[in-house]
Amino acid sequence: MAILTVNHVYHTYFSQEVATEALHDIHFSVEPGEFVSILGASGCGKSTLLSIIAGLLEPTAGDVIIKNHDQSTSIGYMLQQDYLFPWKTIEENVTLGLKLLKYHDLHAKDIAKELLQAVGLPNIEKKFPRQLSGGMRQRAALARTLAVDPKILLLDEPFSALDYKAKLKLEDLVCAMLKSYEKTAILVTHDIGEAIAMSDRIILMSAKPGAIHKIFDVPRELAALTPFEARTHPSYGAFFQSVWKELESLEHSTSS
Ligand SMILES: Nc1ncnc2c1ncn2[C@@H]1O[C@H](COP(=O)(O)OP(=O)(O)OP(=O)(O)O)[C@@H](O)[C@H]1O
Ligand SMILES: [Mg+2]
């Protein structure tokens, strides 16, 4: 049974002069443990959709249903920029959510230590974000997101500010962590390769207004691999082409 259902969601932004329809009848479900990517051109409404799923934005119509949970406790959010607080140490950043949940200080520190170890950042608890590279900061942000044990992770282009090598490594790390902690994830990206390498399913959105154009099931033999392995698998190229063609057809239909 689905852990999350986006139930016929519409969203329109209103300003004094204009109304912008950002989302039009978005409807899909996500199964527990599934990794779903939302792929689409800039401005097609991906971040709007994630904000609605996170409960940060009220949709104009429709709703989001999360099985057995409410939005505030079961969802973790990871963004393009790490948003670590610069004046707090890495440990303080990672334990922040746990403190809000009234975890005992020592327990929170233990959780932070374990997670920082798991993301490959041992012994940096007392460092400040500015002392870390971009990739290390994103790994610390991943540890912070996982610390409060959310059931569902929302990832809004978390790799886009990184160099290619750091990005490929972080993709593998995120997939491995999500698998071992049995999380469900929704990733927003405009990178086809990333969507294919990481996901079980890809939701391709068209723009103006943002709508679901097509949903692809990633071939099983690719979905079973790590992202890095998937990129070098023989069937990666053909599947990339089929997604690419759909994206191209969308661009032509919206620019004409
Ligand atoms: N706060 C806002 N007020 C008015 N319009 C907005 C607001 N936020 C987004 N929009 C508009 O809604 C549409 C969808 O924006 P959104 O940020 O969700 O797109 P996106 O797919 O995440 O884009 P990108 O890939 O560039 O991050 C765009 O036309 C955008 O201009
Ligand atoms: Mg966005």
Side-chain angles (χ1 to χ4, degrees):
M1 196 193 148
I3 188 167
L4 172 116
T5 301
V6 176
N7 185 30
H8 298 289
V9 161
Y10 292 75
H11 193 73
T12 301
Y13 288 104
F14 292 99
S15 73
Q16 277 181 340
E17 300 84 29
V18 285
T20 310
E21 190 183 16
L23 296 175
H24 182 87
D25 197 15
I26 304 291
H27 188 84
F28 64 91
S29 294
V30 180
E31 299 299 315
E34 202 182 8
F35 196 116
V36 174
S37 284
I38 297 174
L39 181 68
S42 183
C44 74
K46 304 182 294 297
S47 297
T48 302
L49 178 57
L50 274 204
S51 299
I52 289 172
I53 295 172
L56 301 171
L57 185 66
E58 183 82 13
T60 313
D63 54 7
V64 173
I65 303 155
I66 295 172
K67 188 185 150 206
N68 297 337
H69 292 280
D70 63 53
Q71 276 167 314
S72 59
T73 59
S74 53
I75 288 190
Y77 214 154
M78 191 172 160
L79 301 163
Q80 183 172 358
Q81 299 296 330
D82 54 62
Y83 288 106
L84 296 171
F85 292 112
W87 62 89
K88 287 186 185 291
T89 64
I90 296 301
E91 182 179 67
E92 287 165 344
N93 269 288
V94 175
T95 55
L96 199 67
L98 296 169
K99 285 187 183 148
L100 292 173
L101 292 173
K102 306 265 184 274
Y103 273 62
H104 189 276
D105 203 35
L106 285 178
H107 187 200
K109 283 182 178 173
D110 279 346
I111 292 173
K113 195 169 178 180
E114 184 202 315
L115 281 169
L116 286 168
Q117 186 99 35
V119 298
L121 294 176
N123 308 321
I124 54 121
E125 286 91 342
K126 304 299 172 203
K127 288 200 174 5
F128 288 89
R130 64 171 179 277
Q131 297 173 283
L132 272 53
S133 71
M136 291 166 87
R137 281 204 301 273
Q138 271 313 53
R139 282 187 274 154
L142 174 64
R144 181 181 59 181
T145 307
L146 289 170
V148 293
D149 198 24
K151 297 287 162 288
I152 302 167
L153 264 92
L154 305 179
L155 310 163
D156 197 346
E157 306 201 25
F159 314 117
S160 59
L162 304 176
D163 67 65
Y164 195 63
K165 186 158 165 265
K167 169 187 155 99
L168 293 190
K169 285 193 160 182
L170 195 61
E171 282 179 8
D172 270 18
L173 176 71
V174 167
C175 272
M177 296 285 288
L178 296 189
K179 208 165 265 173
S180 74
Y181 289 88
E182 296 178 346
K183 303 295 182 198
T184 305
I186 302 179
L187 168 77
V188 157
T189 181
H190 50 245
D191 179 337
I192 304 175
E194 183 169 291
I196 295 173
M198 296 198 69
S199 326
D200 301 306
R201 259 190 313 153
I202 299 173
I203 297 177
L204 178 59
M205 284 181 69
S206 54
K208 292 183 183 167
I212 295 181
H213 175 69
K214 191 169 176 165
I215 299 182
F216 294 90
D217 285 318
V218 175
R220 275 168 182 265
E221 67 269 23
L222 293 178
L225 296 173
T226 68
F228 194 85
E229 290 166 344
R231 286 175 189 272
T232 54
H233 189 275
S235 52
Y236 175 87
F239 187 58
F240 188 102
Q241 288 299 328
S242 58
V243 181
W244 173 262
K245 268 196 200 125
E246 280 304 324
L247 252 181
E248 278 281 289
S249 75
L250 277 178
E251 273 175 28
H252 290 301
S253 63
T254 50
S255 61
S256 57

